[in-house]
Amino acid sequence: MRRTKASGDAKHWPGLAFGAVVFFAYVYLPILILVALSFNENRTVTMWTGFSLKWYAEALANQAMLNAAWNSLVIASVAAVCSTFLATLCAVRMARDTFAGKTAVNALVALPLAVPEIVPAVATLMFFATLGVTFGLGTVIVAHTVFCLPFAYLPIRARLEGMDARLPEAAADLYANPRRAFFHVTLPLLMPGILSGLVLAFIISLDDFITTFFVGGAGSTTLPLYIFGLVRIGVTPQVNAISSLMLVLSLALVSLSLFLSRSRDGN
Amino acid sequence: MRERSPERNPQENSQCTRTHDAAIDIRRVRKSFGTGANAFVALKEVSAAIRRGEFFTLLGPSGCGKTTLLRLIAGFDQPTSGDILLDGEDISQLAPFHRPVNTVFQNYALFPHMSVAQNIGFGLKMQGKSKAEIDDRVDAMLTLVQMQALKSRRTGEISGGQQQRVALARALAPAPKLLLLDEPLSALDLKLRKEMQIELKRLQNETGITFVFVTHDQEEALTMSDRIAVMDHGSILQIGTPREIYDHPKRRFVADFIGDINFIEATAVTDGGQAGARIPGHGFVRLEDDRTLADGETMTLAIRPERVEIVPSKALDHIDGPRNEATNELTGKLVNVVYHGTDTIYHFTLADGTVMRARTQNNRGFAPRFSVGDAIGWRVDPSAISIVEDAAA
């Protein structure tokens, strides 16, 4: 870093600091206000009168909310496990050797990240309708598993790419057959990436609205759908409380994911 | 070229106990990668017989095929054609985990999620040995490489030299018939490298295991090996003891790759029953090389600088004349004197402009007897002159 105050250096453009402050304020201030107001004692959402936990108590006593939260948890757990399992198989196979069209396959796996979610959501809806499947938890789980796949795949692939290719060779050299080399060397070393992918897939599923909205049915209302329903009726401070709870859960999981992907030697 | 190519009976398979038997017999092994126009030939029909208990070195520049050959022996790749026999048994199609051959990898490839002791015990565990047996063997290995104190450390928590020892212990623990070492010392600093060279020789002596060692470091090869195979462009150019390789290189590449050397173009002279060479613009030198020469054949002579002796040119008129037939003395013109601490290198030119180097030890301090521009005489013993083939391979 020998850079002095070169005029062309973006670090020294005027107004940059101000712009940054505006950006962060725009992104985080609404969230901070929402969290603060979730502790507001007053029924009117925009007027602060005193500290209270009553909206949390009310939210946690709301059976419909609890049902939605339970649905979200079930869908996210099953979808995350399934998609991570498939992503692991895919990543391991993709890393093992070269074959014609490998680059294309790699791009195809990651492509859903770039496709507007509404497109696969509508397509999935029509797909299930054509098959005549009953919409419900099952369809949501299948749809979530599919769109979580690239999110689970990327951290696993990153981990594999960072792994010394000679480690499986060393295992084979030391009398481990391919199966044992995988379970004793590759898999343990891949674990941080797999866990990171699992958590990421879980959050993405937990957070999803569009796909769930399209392919969901009776009894498969998730937390985001429930909150949306509440807001349409009218924003009560209870929504703030529920949203804050989701925020805390998401942040915790994202931190966990980052922590896992950073632990380099897998212990 | 080939030291030995033992003839073997087909029925004589794995149970052979001949004293000079080859531990590894590499027979006309070829390896190419890719197909068609993109095919790259990494090894062109390589043959070598490595003896039991031998410290055998594959020496060559990067890309010469030495690592490819090592990987074929380990089983990570299969030869395109040819056979690799271990104790008389063809192993070239066996998977690596079925070969009693272990490898020390260039950057060690230690398992980062295991402790030092778990790394060392891995091979034994995969072989299905009992826990007690593994523990005993791991302890013995830790003692052998002097790593007892660090047995429960993770491999990321120990130094490069210590990782090297763990890699050795891990590869030796299952008592392989053959240990392959892929430039194992290249990541270490000079001092540690010297220590590990001695350590490796000690381990080989104590275990009696055949070592196949890959390196591009000629000094390492000369000091450690029982025999060296010099490789270039996918071929083995010469196999021999360090002394044979150094004193009697058979190819120009071998002579040039190992140590410092002078090359002189000369013409063969065979009359009078005495093998010799005529150097253009100079006289006649006697040769001892046993190669059959045709009169008038052009050839390349290779002479180590330390075997060239600079002498005062008292009788220059005679020196390139008949007298040199007795003393192998020729003339030259001194163009540079370079002081190297332990020795001094004299650069001088021949009549055709060839620059030669003579190295003398500064036994009595640095006291140059000659100065730049002087006409000098130089002398070389017939035994110090090698005739080398120019062809690349």
Side-chain angles (χ1 to χ4, degrees), chain B residues 222-363:
Chain B
L222 289 176
T223 52
M224 299 175 73
S225 319
D226 293 321
R227 285 193 307 151
I228 300 172
V230 183
M231 295 185 69
D232 187 39
H233 285 103
S235 299
I236 292 180
L237 300 183
Q238 188 173 352
I239 298 179
T241 64
R243 286 203 60 168
E244 284 165 4
I245 297 277
Y246 187 83
D247 287 341
H248 303 292
K250 293 199 162 63
R251 300 287 192 103
R252 188 181 179 117
F253 178 86
V254 174
D256 207 18
F257 190 73
I258 296 163
D260 194 9
I261 201 146
N262 298 297
F263 292 113
I264 304 173
E265 302 306 322
T267 329
V269 180
T270 53
D271 60 71
Q274 202 182 27
R278 191 165 301 283
I279 298 168
H282 295 269
F284 172 83
V285 286
R286 275 184 297 123
L287 302 176
E288 248 176 34
D289 201 299
D290 53 5
R291 207 164 302 201
T292 343
L293 297 165
D295 203 20
E297 183 188 348
T298 58
M299 57 191 180
T300 304
L301 305 181
I303 306 167
R304 297 281 174 201
E306 68 271 22
R307 304 293 295 269
V308 178
E309 192 190 346
I310 303 278
V311 294
S313 57
K314 286 179 208 138
L316 279 179
D317 311 341
H318 303 288
I319 204 164
D320 279 345
R323 207 189 83 181
N324 65 24
E325 289 185 28
T327 58
N328 261 13
E329 276 182 8
L330 296 164
T331 54
K333 185 172 172 247
L334 198 62
V335 290
N336 203 1
V337 179
V338 183
Y339 175 67
H340 277 268
T342 56
D343 41 37
T344 303
I345 297 179
Y346 295 90
H347 296 244
F348 59 94
T349 52
L350 301 183
D352 63 356
T354 307
V355 178
M356 300 270 294
R357 291 174 307 280
R359 178 190 289 263
T360 54
Q361 278 210 330
N362 296 330
N363 288 338

Side-chain angles (χ1 to χ4, degrees), chain A residues 55-69 223 226 230 236 238-239 242:
Chain A
W55 303 116
Y56 284 91
E58 202 171 286
L60 292 174
N62 178 345
Q63 194 53 48
M65 195 292 279
L66 289 179
N67 284 344
L223 210 46
Y226 178 73
L230 274 189
T236 76
Q238 201 189 323
V239 172
I242 297 170

Side-chain angles (χ1 to χ4, degrees), chain A residues 86-173:
Chain A
L86 293 173
T88 305
L89 294 185
C90 177
V92 169
R93 180 66 189 88
M94 293 287 289
R96 206 165 52 193
D97 48 25
T98 50
F99 53 88
K102 180 175 171 174
T103 319
V105 173
N106 241 327
L108 280 177
V109 173
L111 188 65
L113 295 175
V115 172
E117 199 189 337
I118 188 81
V119 178
V122 173
T124 314
L125 169 72
M126 295 196 299
F127 174 68
F128 284 137
T130 313
L131 287 183
V133 183
T134 318
F135 291 92
L137 269 185
T139 49
V140 176
I141 286 172
V142 171
H144 277 219
T145 300
V146 172
F147 77 70
C148 284
L149 233 153
F151 292 96
Y153 175 72
L154 292 177
I156 299 171
R157 196 185 66 174
R159 182 81 192 174
L160 261 174
E161 276 170 359
M163 200 172 97
D164 186 349
R166 267 171 307 198
L167 291 175
E169 260 178 17
D173 191 60

Side-chain angles (χ1 to χ4, degrees), chain A residues 164 166-178 180-181 184-186 188-189 265-267, chain B residues 71 76 96-97 99-103 105 107 109-114 122-123 126-127 154 170 174:
Chain A
D164 186 349
R166 267 171 307 198
L167 291 175
E169 260 178 17
D173 191 60
L174 293 161
Y175 314 105
N177 62 31
R180 303 188 84 184
H184 282 96
V185 175
T186 310
L189 289 172
D265 55 8
N267 57 33
Chain B
R71 291 178 59 85
F76 302 136
F97 52 92
R99 299 185 189 201
V101 173
N102 291 342
T103 308
F105 292 84
N107 294 314
L110 295 176
F111 303 125
H113 58 301
M114 297 181 196
F122 187 83
M126 292 301 119
Q127 283 180 322
R154 294 265 167 175
R170 183 179 72 173

